[in-house]
Amino acid sequence: MRSVLRIGGLWLVPVAALMFLAACAAIESIESPRAVEPSPAELVVVTGQMDDMMEFYDSIRRQSPAELSRVYDKAKQSFIRNKSDTNRARLVLLLILPNTSFRDVTSATHLLNEWPKDSKSANNLQSFRNLLAGLLVEQQRLSHSVEELSQKLKDEQKRAETLQSQIDAIKSMEKNLLKEL
């Protein structure tokens, strides 16, 4: 009988441990509800919008200037007809492209600043907007710094030329004085 109790007692320990763990898990889920994860449909929408933006950017940076002008005109017209977040983002991406005739960082910044904060678009598009706005502000700050430094360089070059002409004038006077002696 002792062997039956010993064997019977051994299986009680794992069962009791499992029951204890299950109770802890139940208590934990009651005390701290888990964050609601977005449904697969929501993830597809978010990913789809950002994928579309990145594909759009990738396609426009490989286009010729003439093609880019047509795409810009089309994007501008689309935005005028429908001021959706997607149309706004596409127009901003076109406006900040380097080496284009329509590049306008000021207009791009304005479009980003006027982007509705309570927009129903996905958080990723809002995050993308914040990223672009931050990058443009920093780019403008650096551009102003470069302009200031360029102006200082020009001023210093003029000053150096003035000093050089004064040195040349002094040397010339010195030579004339030595000739007279």
Side-chain angles (χ1 to χ4, degrees), residues 132-148:
L132 287 176
L135 290 173
L136 289 178
V137 165
E138 182 64 15
Q139 184 180 21
Q140 286 178 324
R141 187 188 68 77
L142 291 172
S143 178
H144 291 300
S145 293
V146 166
E147 289 172 8
E148 286 176 9

Side-chain angles (χ1 to χ4, degrees), residues 9 12 24 45 57-58 62 89 93 97-98 108-109 111 114 124 131 135 140 157 173 179:
L12 268 176
C24 288
V45 169
Y57 178 74
D58 197 40
R62 287 188 252 135
L93 285 174
L97 273 179
T109 303
L111 282 170
E114 296 299 315
N124 282 356
L131 171 71
L135 290 173
Q140 286 178 324
Q157 286 173 336
M173 288 191 320
K179 284 182 185 177

Side-chain angles (χ1 to χ4, degrees), residues 5-172:
L5 284 178
R6 200 181 300 163
I7 293 174
L10 288 179
W11 68 269
L12 268 176
V13 173
V15 170
L18 284 174
M19 288 174 53
F20 178 72
L21 289 174
C24 288
I27 290 171
E28 179 182 321
S29 67
I30 292 170
E31 289 177 354
S32 61
R34 300 198 188 274
V36 177
E37 292 185 22
S39 70
E42 291 172 327
L43 290 176
V44 169
V45 169
V46 170
T47 304
Q49 287 177 331
M50 288 310 297
D51 284 347
D52 287 348
M53 281 303 118
M54 294 299 100
E55 286 175 15
F56 177 74
Y57 178 74
D58 197 40
S59 73
I60 62 175
R61 62 183 189 92
R62 287 188 252 135
Q63 293 181 358
S64 70
E67 292 171 328
L68 277 174
S69 290
R70 284 192 293 275
V71 171
Y72 170 70
D73 290 337
K74 184 178 175 185
K76 191 174 178 183
Q77 292 304 316
S78 293
F79 180 71
I80 290 170
R81 282 192 309 272
N82 178 4
K83 294 187 179 352
S84 70
D85 293 345
T86 301
N87 286 342
R88 183 182 299 268
R90 286 182 179 196
L91 185 56
V92 167
L93 285 174
L94 284 160
L95 287 169
I96 63 174
L97 273 179
N99 305 319
T100 58
S101 60
F102 49 82
R103 179 179 169 83
D104 188 354
V105 175
T106 305
S107 293
T109 303
H110 177 73
L111 282 170
L112 289 171
N113 290 337
E114 296 299 315
W115 194 314
K117 303 283 190 240
D118 60 342
S119 175
K120 295 176 184 169
S121 71
N123 286 340
N124 282 356
L125 261 181
Q126 285 294 331
S127 296
F128 185 62
R129 174 227 169 269
N130 293 338
L131 171 71
L132 287 176
L135 290 173
L136 289 178
V137 165
E138 182 64 15
Q139 184 180 21
Q140 286 178 324
R141 187 188 68 77
L142 291 172
S143 178
H144 291 300
S145 293
V146 166
E147 289 172 8
E148 286 176 9
L149 290 172
S150 292
Q151 186 59 46
K152 285 181 180 180
L153 178 62
K154 287 177 185 176
D155 293 345
E156 287 300 315
Q157 286 173 336
K158 285 180 183 176
R159 186 171 170 253
E161 288 172 4
T162 302
L163 289 173
Q164 186 62 48
S165 65
Q166 289 174 347
I167 290 171
D168 291 342
I170 291 171
K171 284 181 180 178
S172 176

